[in-house]
Amino acid sequence: MSHHRPSGVRRSPALLASLAALAAVAALWQPYAPDAVDLTLRNVGMSWTHPMGTDHLGRDVLSRILVGFANTLGAVAIVASVCIGVGMAVGILASSLQGFARAVLLRTAEFASVVPNLVAAIAIVAMFGNGTLVVGLALAAGAWGPHALLAFGLAERARGETYVRAATALGAGSAHLLRRHVLPAILDTQLAYLGAKIGRIVIAYSALAFLGLGADSSRPDWGAMLFEYRLMMFDQPTLMLWPGLAIVLLCVALREAIGWDKDAPARVSSP
Amino acid sequence: MGRILGEVGRAAIHLLAASALAFFIVRAMPGDPAVLLLLAQGQAADPATVAALHAQWGLDRSLPGQYAAWLGDFLAGDWRTSFRTGRPIFEEFAARLPVTLTVGFGAFALALGVAGPLAEAAAARPHGWQDRVLDAATLGAQAVPGFWLGCLLIWVFAVELRAIALFEAGPQRYVLPIAVVALAVLGPLAQVYRAGLREVARSDYVRAALARGAPRARVVAQQGRRYAALGLLSTAAAEAGTVVGGTAVVETVFGLPGIGQFVVDSIAVRDFFVLQAFFMVAVAWMLLASLAARLARRLVAPGGFCDVAP
């Protein structure tokens, strides 16, 4: 397939910045203590004082959603940074090396692409304990592979581009070329690919929390809330609504903020 | 034949890498596995018992020797025993495999069966309703968590519609779990297939055929399907990972006694031999999917297309 740059990918840095700012505020301030149990206020419906109501233990649902938002965005930011940073570094390095070293890097990236993300993350987090950094790295353990293969393909193609060859003929150094021409094009495509799959990263993080492997089991997390509230399904179905809606909204917002390439899944060949 | 052997060799090397990773992750874990096992079983970790376990697992040898012993045992079907149940993990997995495979293969078959016709209809009529449904399915795969959808379906069918039969023992138990996992992979599969069909429809090759007077629909149907199937196969291999993760979560939601549920129950007691085996089984499943996709690509396009995704 002959893509040079994803065409028509719109991103919104303002939306991304607002999400980050909102997460920072949510981490520091909630209307109520998210774990404050008040058995006199159980299952209160939506009101001005409790916009999302309270749960079966009288905890303010909005406060719990806010803490979960900060946790989720923090972990997803780690996964995204590792995917793009390591992916680009390995891909470009492989493209500049020859022979055995190149083969080792590419085979490693292929292997990472084969490992199912959620399964690897379940095993790693279950064995090494939790924490935002561990969970983020566990989810990134396999996810960087396709990014590296994509970066490698683009770097190889860039070397053959007429404008790059022309610049070389005019005496431009390879570092300058990389910085001015190759990197921006690769970063653009990496972001579009990340945008196309960022929702899955959010969902994988929530799934870990649902299975009891969230970043911090002592703090509310959307997946963990769903696991707990699913037992209240018969009496309080609305409790299940909020964390699920939060996940869906964050997936859609991140997708739009980063921008996504319609053909992204088609452009990374499976090893 | 040589090519097929090459593919199998590649898969074997990946599997070897996975085994090394699985082994060293467990060895890198903080704590002595024998002590952890005894503590998990509520026994005193006296030195004699610990030493006996070490000898049984070959932990008294050098690290490469340990790995060789573990790999030999693993390939022979000795996957150690579960802390939680005290039974061999291989037996536990084998007993639960049919449940997990039913969900996994059922979801794959359903997703592929719907994705093909949906993508062809969407490619033939841009902005038609099939096109919109496909876009919605793509967004759904990227934004709706399967475990939430599963909970909502339980609420709708069990609580609101009183369709309790869907949760009783029998083949109908699998309907909702299969639907949830299939929905997670339907979007990407249909999206790639549609993209391939559209690319063919725009290609010089089709233009040339049209110029010769061949009917458009027939050209795209004959050549387009073969070309688009290549992309579909690659994506299907990658989506096998979504299926294996999805079954683990869905089994927990719907209470199906599959491998995923067994693994999730093992998390709380850090039953690391179970996690190790699960990782190996998942990677083997991915490699089988990848191998099958590569061989199928050879069948679809024996000579390869000149302008095919790498």
Side-chain angles (χ1 to χ4, degrees), chain A residues 1-3 107 110-120 122-124 126-129 157 195-201 203 206-208 210-213 222-223 226-227 230 233-234 237 240-245 247-249 251-252 255 260-271, chain B residues 10 14 17-18 21 25-26 28-30 135 138-148 151-152 154-155 159 184-185 188 191-192 194-195 198-199 227 234-235 237-239 241-242 244-246 248-249 252-253 263-264 267 270 272 275-276 278-279 282-283 286-287 290 294 307-310:
Chain A
M1 300 210 178
S2 50
H3 287 265
R107 290 287 128 4
E110 275 186 10
F111 176 64
S113 309
V114 168
V115 172
N117 280 343
L118 188 57
V119 173
I122 287 172
I124 295 170
M127 290 188 204
F128 290 89
R157 191 176 295 146
K197 74 171 199 184
I198 192 93
R200 285 244 173 123
I201 297 173
I203 290 171
S206 309
L208 282 178
F210 182 82
L211 300 176
L213 295 169
W222 292 344
L226 279 170
F227 188 77
R230 82 191 200 294
M233 194 186 309
F234 301 93
M240 257 186 357
L241 216 55
W242 298 116
L245 279 179
I247 294 169
V248 171
L249 279 175
C251 289
V252 173
R255 220 164 114 88
W260 47 284
D261 179 1
K262 238 172 107 82
D263 300 329
R267 295 194 303 100
V268 178
S269 60
S270 74
Chain B
R10 259 165 80 113
H14 276 311
L21 200 63
I25 279 180
V26 169
M29 248 178 48
D135 286 337
T138 305
L139 183 64
Q142 283 294 333
V144 182
F147 50 94
W148 186 51
C151 290
L152 292 181
I154 292 175
W155 178 65
V159 183
V185 294
Q191 188 194 12
V192 166
R194 179 181 63 182
R198 283 189 178 159
E199 206 172 338
Y227 173 75
S234 289
T235 306
E239 289 298 318
T242 310
V244 74
V249 173
T252 305
V253 172
V263 170
V264 170
I267 288 172
R270 284 177 76 200
F272 45 81
L275 293 161
Q276 201 178 25
F278 181 49
F279 179 77
V283 171
M286 288 298 285
L287 290 170
S290 175
R294 281 171 170 277
D307 182 28
V308 169

Side-chain angles (χ1 to χ4, degrees), chain A residues 188-221:
Chain A
D188 210 38
T189 312
Q190 291 280 334
L191 283 171
Y193 176 57
L194 179 73
K197 74 171 199 184
I198 192 93
R200 285 244 173 123
I201 297 173
V202 174
I203 290 171
Y205 174 79
S206 309
L208 282 178
F210 182 82
L211 300 176
L213 295 169
D216 183 351
S217 47
S218 67
R219 310 270 288 158
D221 226 328

Side-chain angles (χ1 to χ4, degrees), chain B residues 211-300:
Chain B
R212 286 198 301 272
R216 182 183 195 89
R218 202 178 73 204
V219 175
V220 173
Q222 281 173 342
Q223 294 304 319
R225 277 192 188 140
R226 280 179 52 187
Y227 173 75
L230 293 175
L232 178 67
L233 286 168
S234 289
T235 306
E239 289 298 318
T242 310
V243 170
V244 74
T247 49
V249 173
V250 158
E251 283 169 13
T252 305
V253 172
F254 289 96
L256 287 174
I259 291 177
Q261 192 198 43
F262 182 74
V263 170
V264 170
D265 289 344
S266 305
I267 288 172
V269 293
R270 284 177 76 200
D271 199 342
F272 45 81
F273 289 141
V274 171
L275 293 161
Q276 201 178 25
F278 181 49
F279 179 77
M280 290 294 289
V281 168
V283 171
W285 155 258
M286 288 298 285
L287 290 170
L288 278 175
S290 175
L291 199 61
R294 281 171 170 277
L295 296 177
R297 283 174 64 120
R298 292 250 157 85
L299 290 175
V300 171

Side-chain angles (χ1 to χ4, degrees), chain B residues 31 36 97 101 107 130 135 137 161 175 178 214 230 249 254 258 286 309:
Chain B
L36 284 173
L97 190 63
L101 283 184
Q130 292 100 334
D135 286 337
L161 302 179
V175 171
I178 285 175
L230 293 175
V249 173
F254 289 96
M286 288 298 285

